[in-house]
Amino acid sequence: MVGNNNSVSRGNSILDLLPEIERREIFSLGKVICVAAEETIYHFGDPITHLYFPLNSAFSATSLMEDGSSAEVSLTGHEGVIGFFAAFNEQQSARYWISVLTSGEAVKVELANIRHLFAESKKLQSALLASSRNLMCQISQRAVCNGSHSLAERFCFWLLLVHDRAKTDEIVLTHEVIARKLGARRAGITNIAGMLQIAKVIAYNRGTIRIINRWGLEKESCECYAAVQNALAAKE
Amino acid sequence: MVGNNNSVSRGNSILDLLPEIERREIFSLGKVICVAAEETIYHFGDPITHLYFPLNSAFSATSLMEDGSSAEVSLTGHEGVIGFFAAFNEQQSARYWISVLTSGEAVKVELANIRHLFAESKKLQSALLASSRNLMCQISQRAVCNGSHSLAERFCFWLLLVHDRAKTDEIVLTHEVIARKLGARRAGITNIAGMLQIAKVIAYNRGTIRIINRWGLEKESCECYAAVQNALAAKE
DNA sequence: AGAAAATAGTGCGCTTTCGTACAGAATCAT
DNA sequence: ATGATTCTGTACGAAAGCGCACTATTTTCT
């Protein structure tokens, strides 16, 4: 493999689509950081100053509602980037609360430093566009899912999304956190997780979920996961 | 007003942001058509060959599910365009069923004819980008809404979206159609519509809804409508 | 004019999910 | 160690919304 040293090509799909020289430039202008679960990246309304290209971390965009409830809008991992719209448009602000769902690494780059690249690089533009199309597809499907499918199906759909992005079978997540992302009760999640554990699809223990039977999870999920995957595949 | 003849500037926000000359070019390359309610623009998977810039019509992107149920993903009117992603990327296909929700006029342009404009015109690019950001915001909020809010709130939110795009107080819509868009039962819609009619917020009669008290509708809606409106306003 | 279709009103039992609450177990802090 | 906190299990009544079915109008078709 060419140029596969450990400062490049660690797994973000957008960066991986770039020519070696551009990818190197982004890595040198930014830096690889570790992000910790629950860490806030942007509060609602914050100006977007940095982009984050997740490697094995997953970022959550969550709506915090007036009554204190919350619901996740989207999940971004190695297939996407945080801050897409700000890349092309000055002075964008965050529309939702952006936080880290599962810890890991990401490439953090100050927008001002790489804005010239967005204007110049066709490859980067089209990679960003593809990823935003993809994100829109995820959000669309979640809109459908939230409106039409059972909590158990939604749970499985969501867990599959997380699993893909965390790149590990051991995912650090409490029922409480999951509930807040799915806009459901903690007790409701406990019930469903319990059933899935009995079915030997997952196992969990005080804040850690282990995916035992990925195929089973896909079977218990609604068609939404497949729809999102199809869109991802079609993109390439 | 300059150039305000009746072949241009009839109300699509994207077109209206363009320099006169470019807007004229789009109008001359395409044509203003009338679209009728229920008309299919694209089936799932169809290649996107034309763009539609709605004027006073509204287009619906709807997910048709395996079990025969359906749910609307997004609503596009004068503030947006149908076919955004295909503008920048060859050979895109429709991810959802695109149909006309409320009849009216739209500017229809063959993609191949105007692709050069997308590459050249910075104004057009940024207008399209802004509208896609806006659309993503609508879809995001609908994801939240579908997951967290009551059918009555969702109904009001949705009707406000339709009202803005149809640009008239008399909207041709049966309970059945609304139910399919909201992913609910027809009878459920009848109940809610009945209550809103008693409250003199709307009136309806065999397939036509009249908005009587717009303010009342906003009050009965959840915070989702305001969130979408804020995003629209922030865009400018 | 008469039949057929479309639209809306209503009722009932059922399922899912919620809100809330309490308790046991594991982990953490000091 | 031990007290506090976090995480999970469980229960129960209430509410929203569903599936289904039947009816009454109004409109359309022939």
Side-chain angles (χ1 to χ4, degrees):
Chain A
M1 288 197 194
V2 180
N4 200 13
N5 74 38
N6 62 5
S7 76
V8 293
S9 192
R10 286 215 232 172
N12 181 280
S13 306
I14 296 174
L15 299 182
D16 288 352
L17 278 176
L18 300 184
E20 177 76 20
I21 186 168
E22 290 181 9
R23 184 165 59 243
R24 272 183 194 281
E25 184 170 356
I26 290 182
F27 269 88
S28 73
L29 290 172
K31 60 183 174 184
V32 176
I33 61 167
C34 281
V35 291
E38 304 277 302
E39 192 179 319
T40 291
I41 304 299
Y42 292 115
H43 290 103
F44 174 88
D46 281 356
I48 307 288
T49 56
H50 294 75
L51 295 187
Y52 294 77
F53 296 91
L55 299 173
N56 61 348
S57 48
F59 295 71
S60 187
T62 306
S63 166
L64 302 175
M65 284 168 277
E66 288 163 3
D67 66 354
S69 64
S70 64
E72 190 184 77
V73 168
S74 68
L75 200 52
T76 301
H78 58 87
E79 86 297 347
V81 62
I82 298 292
F84 164 75
F85 282 109
F88 294 107
N89 230 324
E90 312 251 345
Q91 298 188 342
Q92 295 285 354
S93 59
R95 286 215 191 295
Y96 295 101
W97 172 47
I98 311 294
S99 64
V100 177
L101 182 74
T102 60
S103 60
E105 290 186 315
V107 183
K108 176 180 181 179
V109 195
E110 188 169 349
L111 251 172
N113 288 345
I114 57 165
R115 201 159 255 139
H116 65 281
L117 262 179
F118 297 124
E120 292 160 14
S121 166
K122 291 284 170 209
K123 288 255 182 183
L124 182 53
Q125 285 171 17
S126 83
L128 283 173
L129 207 68
S131 90
S132 88
R133 179 159 202 251
N134 194 51
L135 174 61
M136 197 176 289
C137 188
Q138 182 199 136
I139 301 176
S140 300
Q141 208 58 44
R142 292 180 72 156
V144 170
C145 195
N146 288 345
S148 304
H149 299 146
S150 73
L151 189 55
E153 288 171 316
R154 289 197 279 146
F155 176 92
C156 293
F157 172 31
W158 183 82
L159 194 53
L160 286 166
L161 292 180
V162 177
H163 189 210
D164 289 340
R165 286 156 184 77
K167 294 179 173 173
T168 164
D169 291 344
E170 286 252 358
I171 306 173
V172 176
L173 280 175
T174 65
H175 296 179
E176 179 69 38
V177 168
I178 299 174
R180 282 205 303 266
K181 295 303 175 191
L182 294 183
R185 283 175 321 144
R186 195 272 311 161
I189 300 302
T190 298
N191 276 342
I192 289 163
M195 288 189 284
L196 289 171
Q197 180 157 245
I198 289 170
K200 300 213 190 302
V201 171
I202 62 173
Y204 58 92
N205 189 286
R206 287 188 75 74
T208 306
I209 294 185
R210 170 185 284 279
I211 311 291
I212 296 178
N213 177 1
R214 161 93 191 189
W215 165 241
L217 204 54
E218 293 183 15
K219 239 177 24 183
E220 297 296 324
S221 163
C222 41
E223 62 202 88
C224 295
Y225 180 69
V228 171
Q229 285 309 100
N230 285 343
L232 249 175
K235 188 188 73 174
E236 322 291 347
Chain B
M1 290 197 192
V2 180
N4 200 13
N5 75 36
N6 64 4
S7 76
V8 294
S9 192
R10 288 215 229 173
N12 181 279
S13 306
I14 297 174
L15 299 182
D16 289 353
L17 278 176
L18 300 183
E20 176 75 20
I21 187 166
E22 289 180 9
R23 184 164 61 244
R24 272 182 195 282
E25 185 170 355
I26 290 181
F27 269 88
S28 75
L29 290 171
K31 60 182 173 182
V32 176
I33 62 166
C34 280
V35 290
E38 305 276 303
E39 192 178 319
T40 289
I41 303 299
Y42 293 114
H43 291 103
F44 175 89
D46 282 356
I48 307 288
T49 56
H50 294 75
L51 296 187
Y52 293 78
F53 296 91
L55 300 173
N56 60 349
S57 49
F59 295 72
S60 189
T62 306
S63 166
L64 302 176
M65 284 168 277
E66 289 163 1
D67 66 353
S69 64
S70 64
E72 190 185 78
V73 167
S74 68
L75 200 52
T76 301
H78 57 87
E79 87 296 346
V81 62
I82 297 292
F84 165 76
F85 282 108
F88 294 107
N89 230 324
E90 311 252 343
Q91 299 188 340
Q92 296 286 352
S93 59
R95 286 215 193 295
Y96 295 101
W97 172 47
I98 311 292
S99 66
V100 178
L101 183 75
T102 59
S103 60
E105 291 186 315
V107 183
K108 177 180 181 178
V109 195
E110 189 169 350
L111 251 173
N113 288 343
I114 57 166
R115 201 160 253 140
H116 63 282
L117 261 179
F118 297 125
E120 292 160 15
S121 166
K122 290 284 171 211
K123 289 255 181 184
L124 182 52
Q125 285 172 15
S126 83
L128 282 174
L129 206 67
S131 89
S132 89
R133 179 159 203 253
N134 194 50
L135 174 61
M136 196 175 290
C137 187
Q138 182 200 135
I139 300 175
S140 300
Q141 207 59 44
R142 291 180 72 157
V144 171
C145 197
N146 288 344
S148 305
H149 298 146
S150 72
L151 188 55
E153 289 172 316
R154 289 198 279 147
F155 176 92
C156 293
F157 172 31
W158 183 81
L159 193 53
L160 285 166
L161 292 179
V162 177
H163 188 210
D164 289 341
R165 285 156 184 79
K167 293 180 173 172
T168 163
D169 291 343
E170 288 249 336
I171 305 173
V172 177
L173 281 174
T174 65
H175 295 180
E176 179 69 38
V177 168
I178 299 173
R180 281 206 303 266
K181 295 304 173 188
L182 294 183
R185 281 176 321 147
R186 194 271 311 161
I189 300 301
T190 299
N191 277 342
I192 288 163
M195 289 189 283
L196 289 171
Q197 178 156 247
I198 290 171
K200 299 210 188 306
V201 171
I202 62 173
Y204 60 89
N205 190 286
R206 288 190 76 74
T208 307
I209 293 187
R210 170 186 285 277
I211 312 290
I212 295 177
N213 177 2
R214 161 92 191 189
W215 164 241
L217 204 54
E218 293 184 14
K219 239 177 23 183
E220 297 295 324
S221 163
C222 41
E223 61 202 270
C224 295
Y225 180 68
V228 172
Q229 286 308 102
N230 286 343
L232 248 175
K235 188 188 72 175
E236 320 291 348

